[in-house]
Amino acid sequence: MNAMETADLAAGRGALGVGLVVAGIVVLALLIGMFLLGSRKVRDNDSRRPRPDEQPRMPEGGPVREVQEHREPEAMPRTDERLTPHELKGTGNAGTRTGAAEGRPRWDEGGSGGFGSGGPGAH
C-alpha cells in the first residue's frame, strides 16, 4: 500500500464519522420537534383556564361550617302485618330525625387522647 491509498482510506473513515454525527443530529432534531409538536397538541386540547370572574366565590353568609347534631332513627310503624319497603315513609330507607342535644364524648383534660399516644393518661 502506498501513502496515497492510506490517505484515501483515512479520508473515507473520517467522512463516515462525520456522516454518523450528522445523522445523529438529524435524529435528535426530529425527536425534539416531535416532542414539541406533541406537547403543543396536548396543550391545545386541554380546557382553557378559568377567568378570574369564573373562580369560585365565598357564599354571602361566609364560609360553610360543619353541622354537628345527634340523629335518631324514625320509629317503625307498629302494625300486625309485615311492611314492605315501599310502604314505609320516604324511599324505603330508614329515616332519621334530630335527636336530643347531647354533647359529644370527650376525653378528660389530663388524658392522653388515645391508647399508646405517649401521654401520661388519666389514673
Side-chain angles (χ1 to χ4, degrees), residues 38-108:
S39 64
R40 182 177 297 147
K41 193 172 194 176
V42 167
R43 187 178 60 230
D44 290 345
N45 288 341
D46 280 348
S47 58
R48 66 173 180 79
R49 292 186 177 145
R51 295 187 309 262
D53 60 321
E54 295 174 335
Q55 296 291 331
R57 301 276 182 241
M58 187 172 302
E60 293 294 327
V64 179
R65 301 285 182 214
E66 178 183 356
V67 175
Q68 294 181 359
E69 62 183 4
H70 182 71
R71 304 290 295 175
E72 292 180 352
E74 295 273 351
M76 288 291 291
R78 298 197 181 266
T79 62
D80 292 336
E81 297 180 21
R82 184 179 203 167
L83 295 176
T84 58
H86 70 275
E87 295 172 321
L88 297 174
K89 287 193 314 183
T91 59
N93 296 327
T96 60
R97 58 185 164 79
T98 303
E102 294 180 13
R104 290 179 55 196
R106 302 285 183 186
W107 57 83
D108 293 332

Side-chain angles (χ1 to χ4, degrees), residues 16 34 36 45 55 59 95:
L16 180 63
M34 289 188 320
L36 292 175
N45 288 341
Q55 296 291 331

